[in-house]
Amino acid sequence: MPTAQPPLTGVRVIELAGLAPGPFASLILADYGASILRIDRPHPQAHTSSPPPPTTDLLTRRKSSIALNLKSPSALALLETLLTKADVLIDPFRPGVLESLSLAPNALLVANPRLIIARLTGFRRDGPYAQMAGHDVNYLAVSGILSQLGRRDAPPYAPANVLADFAGGGLICAFGILAALISRGQRGRGQIVEANMVDGSAYLGTFMRYALKTPSWDQPRGSNLLDGGCPFYEVYECKGGGYMAVGALEPQFFQELVKGLSVDDQKLAENRNERATWPAMREVFRKRFLLKTRQEWEKVFEGKDACCTPVLGQPELEQQGYEQRAAVGLTGSPGLEIPESEAWKSEGLAPGEGGEEVLETWMGWKMGRDYGVDGGGLVKIEKAQL
């Protein structure tokens, strides 16, 4: 049974609103107990009785928001004061933007030596791409990873934006923040965490890069063991649509696979690691899977160590009541459960939503006494000097 609160309870995180990677980093922290305050751009309806609609950010679970015009000295003063009491600042901007807002990291660390400033960029902060715009596919491209993804005799293929944006970006950034929190517990000081999606993606691809020097991945893209070249590590279409995923790499699993497929060919097993046999083997498997529906193949391989599973769609999982869970289970201080209402869709977050409550909890501030609204965003009320 759990014996403690979530491990990041009490950690205060300020997230400067940005695209998917930064919000994903803070979502991870929120799911493990951190308090997240997103800083949004001003909106005429923010902090009013008629709040604006949610922004396009979908990764807002357990977060709150305030709207600030960071070009306003009074709004900037409010944020600077908040940062003296915060634990983490997530900066999703391109190099130089934070400094242009008079929020230079070194100055922020002087004001709050315990602050952790996580700076997440797409490209490296140095090198030929540092000042260029880009997206997931661009970061994958210059990391070397994209060159290894895709079918033979076809262009490299990016798997949506999951690798660079979320794995190499948001997840790696969250790891950096956690490492800095541990270091702060030992040293008593915060620091700057520099993450970028090129290095994060390249790090995720360490095995793939090393494997290029081995027989498992020394052939052109789409011709190797794990990149679509191997017929027993592949996805096959079934009768009537639907797909089955095959990953029968080990001999004992391969035997279960061919047994389930009713393929009676001893040479198939004996020569399975010879690339010259792969085209014919793929054709045998392709024809076999087309003989039954996906549901029928599920029954054939149910409980069998054939490494053969159905490809389930998200709507299908939702209809089945599949339980979405936090990424990692902790027995003593678990993360927070994903609410059923947010398992399959985001409720979104409007500029200003929930933020005033956070200001009171963190700082003891109240509207009209410590801050007010000007031009769709909050501003700090300076106390008169006696």
Side-chain angles (χ1 to χ4, degrees):
M1 293 293 292
T3 58
Q5 293 179 303
L8 298 182
T9 299
V11 174
R12 299 173 175 181
V13 179
I14 293 179
E15 171 197 337
L16 300 177
L19 299 177
F24 186 61
S26 66
L27 179 71
I28 295 169
L29 304 180
D31 280 341
Y32 287 87
S35 175
I36 313 294
L37 182 62
R38 189 181 73 188
I39 308 300
D40 281 309
R41 293 180 178 181
H43 190 286
Q45 294 172 259
H47 301 286
T48 70
S49 57
S50 300
T55 68
T56 57
D57 180 9
L58 298 178
L59 305 174
T60 59
R61 189 166 59 237
R62 300 190 173 94
K63 300 181 185 180
S64 300
S65 163
I66 59 172
L68 294 178
N69 177 5
L70 295 181
K71 295 182 179 180
S72 160
S74 297
L76 192 61
L78 186 150
L79 178 58
E80 289 173 332
T81 304
L82 274 177
L83 287 169
T84 64
K85 302 297 182 182
D87 296 292
V88 178
L89 171 65
I90 296 179
D91 163 27
F93 301 137
R94 289 164 67 175
V97 173
L98 208 59
E99 288 82 355
S100 72
L101 295 170
S102 300
L103 294 170
N106 289 335
L108 296 179
L109 287 173
V110 170
N112 179 4
R114 291 178 58 81
L115 182 64
I116 293 164
I117 304 171
R119 312 196 74 178
L120 177 57
T121 58
F123 296 114
R124 289 177 168 178
R125 304 186 76 84
D126 56 358
Y129 308 107
Q131 298 300 325
M132 292 172 58
H135 281 294
D136 180 291
V137 66
N138 306 114
Y139 313 138
L140 278 184
V142 301
S143 75
I145 299 302
L146 185 58
S147 70
Q148 292 183 258
L149 303 176
R151 293 293 184 178
R152 184 177 181 175
D153 299 324
Y157 185 80
N161 68 330
V162 69
L163 275 184
D165 277 357
F166 296 110
L171 182 62
I172 292 293
C173 182
F175 168 77
I177 291 169
L178 295 177
L181 284 169
I182 293 172
S183 176
R184 190 181 72 174
Q186 299 167 342
R187 301 164 58 245
R189 297 193 300 276
Q191 59 185 298
I192 299 170
V193 174
E194 292 196 348
N196 69 77
M197 292 166 232
V198 173
D199 288 343
S201 300
Y203 195 87
L204 289 168
T206 299
F207 171 82
M208 294 171 63
R209 185 171 67 253
Y210 289 170
L212 290 172
K213 307 294 186 181
T214 73
S216 68
W217 216 314
D218 63 354
Q219 298 299 305
R221 179 181 61 253
S223 305
N224 300 286
L225 186 66
L226 301 175
D227 65 355
C230 174
F232 46 92
Y233 199 86
E234 179 61 286
V235 177
Y236 291 95
E237 185 177 1
C238 305
K239 179 181 178 180
Y243 300 89
M244 294 292 287
V246 172
L249 295 174
E250 292 79 6
Q252 67 274 26
F253 302 150
F254 185 84
Q255 290 290 353
E256 286 291 333
L257 174 68
V258 295
K259 179 180 178 181
L261 291 173
S262 299
V263 175
D264 185 15
D265 187 342
Q266 187 60 31
K267 289 185 178 180
L268 208 64
E270 293 174 354
N271 302 321
R272 72 190 192 99
N273 290 322
E274 296 181 14
R275 281 191 169 93
T277 68
W278 286 0
M281 186 187 305
R282 186 188 307 277
E283 186 63 12
V284 170
F285 289 172
R286 186 188 70 81
K287 290 180 177 178
R288 286 290 179 175
F289 275 106
L290 287 172
L291 294 177
K292 298 180 186 294
T293 65
R294 196 201 78 184
Q295 291 73 20
E296 289 172 327
W297 285 122
E298 286 183 66
K299 292 179 180 178
V300 169
F301 290 107
E302 184 177 2
K304 302 292 195 309
D305 282 344
C307 300
C308 187
T309 54
V311 177
L312 302 177
Q314 298 285 11
E316 183 179 10
L317 288 169
E318 181 179 6
Q319 189 176 24
Q320 293 174 359
Y322 181 84
E323 180 187 6
Q324 299 289 352
R325 299 175 181 174
V328 176
L330 301 173
T331 58
S333 55
L336 300 166
E337 293 184 359
I338 297 177
E340 187 175 345
S341 62
E342 294 197 66
W344 299 100
K345 65 178 182 178
S346 171
E347 295 182 351
L349 183 66
E353 183 178 346
E356 294 171 34
E357 290 82 354
V358 171
L359 295 181
E360 183 170 5
T361 300
W362 286 15
M363 310 293 290
W365 288 351
K366 290 188 178 295
M367 174 75 82
R369 185 189 70 189
D370 302 287
Y371 62 90
V373 181
D374 182 28
L378 299 184
V379 293
K380 186 179 180 184
I381 296 176
E382 298 293 348
K383 302 294 172 53
Q385 299 293 322
L386 297 179

